[in-house]
Amino acid sequence: PITEVVEYFESLGYKQPATMDVADFLVSIPTQDGTFFTDHDHYTAQEFHELFQKSKQMTRIKSDLEAISSHSWKANGDASEKFGIPKEYMLDFQNSFTRSMQLNLRRHLTLWKRDKGFIIGKAFENIGMAVATGGILFGQAKLPEGLSSSPNSEEVAEQYNRLVQAVYGALFMTCLHILLGTMTSAPDEVDGRSIFYKHYDARFYQVFAFVMGRLLSTIPQRTLEIVSFGIPLYWMVGLDPSAGSFFLYLLLLIVYTTGLKMMFSILAQVLPKKANVQGVGTFVVLICTLFGGF
């Protein structure tokens, strides 16, 4: 038994040093370093085996193994009530869905916050791209004063055409930037699959709790990207300054980036290698670019 292990070896003459923890002490005993913990001759592995066979701990273990169990593990139906098996042994997961989701959310947020270089780098990258794109389309989506709402002349029609091109150009550049950023980060999720499989096999949490926790943990990074890229571009291009249009624009970006995150996460979980995720992701980008309505 773990609670008696130090006491057991002390009864054999092996004293744990004050400067060494229990794990290192136990690992060192069977080696040559075990001579430093005792005043008598160091026991061999065979001698340790023989001594344990004669110990009271081994006697108790044999007694427990030979005793008749009060539980039947071959039960069918409601074994918990019929055979008295403790209910905690019948649960597939010890934590509830809500608790599991909270634990996954906290874990992924902790990993995200630790990578401060990535967070700062992405912020500057998005601001730089917003300034560059906004500089190209600066003020082109702003409705000129005195422009008639009815394009009854070639000049007015040309002005409306330039406005439409500027608006669609700004939206296209925003969507493409978010799309490329999500695609490049998707292959990294392949490395996390082994951790998920290990946790799931140990019944740490449910699959959907993992999915929801990880999805919610991406909100801060997605918000940072939308704020640092989408908002500067919106005002530099000169889109509609009304509050309704502005918040509708932000809502569309949030829904769009969440949908992309889920789509590329599915690819990262289904495809076998990073190269496959990158290749299929590139194809998805091509399809979205050709048939995205721009």
Side-chain angles (χ1 to χ4, degrees):
I2 297 175
T3 56
E4 302 176 17
V5 64
V6 175
E7 178 184 349
Y8 169 73
F9 281 105
E10 286 181 349
S11 68
L12 298 181
Y14 290 84
K15 303 294 183 180
Q16 178 187 354
T19 57
M20 180 177 289
D21 60 26
V22 176
D24 290 336
F25 172 61
L26 296 178
V27 170
S28 302
I29 287 177
T31 67
Q32 291 298 324
D33 294 337
T35 57
F36 299 111
F37 307 141
T38 182
D39 296 331
H40 56 70
D41 292 338
H42 185 44
Y43 293 129
T44 64
Q46 182 62 30
E47 291 172 332
F48 274 123
H49 171 72
E50 294 174 355
L51 289 169
F52 185 71
Q53 291 294 324
K54 301 175 183 178
S55 67
K56 62 179 182 180
Q57 287 83 2
M58 186 60 186
T59 302
R60 188 166 69 250
I61 291 174
K62 287 182 178 180
S63 176
D64 291 340
L65 290 175
E66 294 171 357
I68 299 176
S69 176
S70 59
H71 304 302
S72 173
W73 303 103
K74 299 180 180 179
N76 295 320
D78 193 353
S80 177
E81 296 181 1
K82 187 175 181 180
F83 295 94
I85 299 175
K87 289 188 176 181
E88 57 266 23
Y89 296 150
M90 308 296 294
L91 296 176
D92 198 11
F93 300 96
Q94 292 296 319
N95 289 321
S96 65
F97 170 79
T98 303
R99 177 60 176 166
S100 298
M101 185 177 66
Q102 290 174 347
L103 292 173
N104 276 283
L105 175 60
R106 185 184 305 172
R107 173 178 175 268
H108 286 95
L109 283 177
T110 300
L111 295 175
W112 174 73
K113 288 187 291 185
R114 286 177 181 173
D115 197 355
K116 292 183 174 58
F118 171 78
I119 298 174
I120 296 173
K122 290 296 290 185
F124 279 102
E125 174 191 337
N126 283 281
I127 293 174
M129 287 296 298
V131 172
T133 306
I136 296 174
L137 301 173
F138 186 78
Q140 294 187 21
K142 186 178 296 184
L143 189 67
E145 296 182 3
L147 182 64
S148 172
S149 60
S150 176
N152 52 9
S153 66
E154 293 185 2
E155 181 180 357
V156 174
E158 180 64 25
Q159 289 180 321
Y160 271 108
N161 186 44
R162 287 198 297 269
L163 284 174
V164 171
Q165 291 178 355
V167 171
Y168 275 97
L171 295 177
F172 173 76
M173 293 302 297
T174 302
C175 293
L176 182 63
H177 179 74
I178 295 175
L179 179 61
L180 292 175
T182 307
M183 184 193 72
T184 54
S185 63
D188 295 334
E189 295 187 20
V190 176
D191 296 331
R193 290 194 306 201
S194 60
I195 300 176
F196 165 74
Y197 293 147
K198 180 179 179 180
H199 288 177
Y200 181 75
D201 289 341
R203 292 298 187 263
F204 282 4
Y205 41 71
Q206 302 89 334
V207 175
F208 192 59
F210 171 79
V211 173
M212 288 301 300
R214 187 179 60 178
L215 178 63
L216 293 175
S217 69
T218 63
I219 292 178
Q221 181 63 36
R222 301 301 167 190
T223 303
L224 176 64
E225 294 178 0
I226 292 173
V227 169
S228 57
F229 181 85
I231 295 179
L233 182 65
Y234 185 93
W235 297 108
M236 291 183 68
V237 174
L239 296 173
D240 186 9
S242 65
S245 299
F246 176 68
F247 287 110
L248 178 61
Y249 167 80
L250 293 182
L251 177 62
L252 290 176
L253 290 185
I254 293 173
V255 173
Y256 176 71
T257 187
T258 303
L260 284 179
K261 177 63 179 176
M262 291 298 298
M263 180 179 67
F264 280 103
S265 293
I266 292 174
L267 293 179
Q269 300 303 321
V270 172
L271 298 175
K273 298 179 180 179
K274 288 184 178 182
N276 302 126
V277 178
Q278 197 74 46
V280 175
T282 303
F283 177 74
V284 171
V285 171
L286 176 63
I287 295 299
C288 291
T289 303
L290 292 177
F291 302 101
F294 297 106

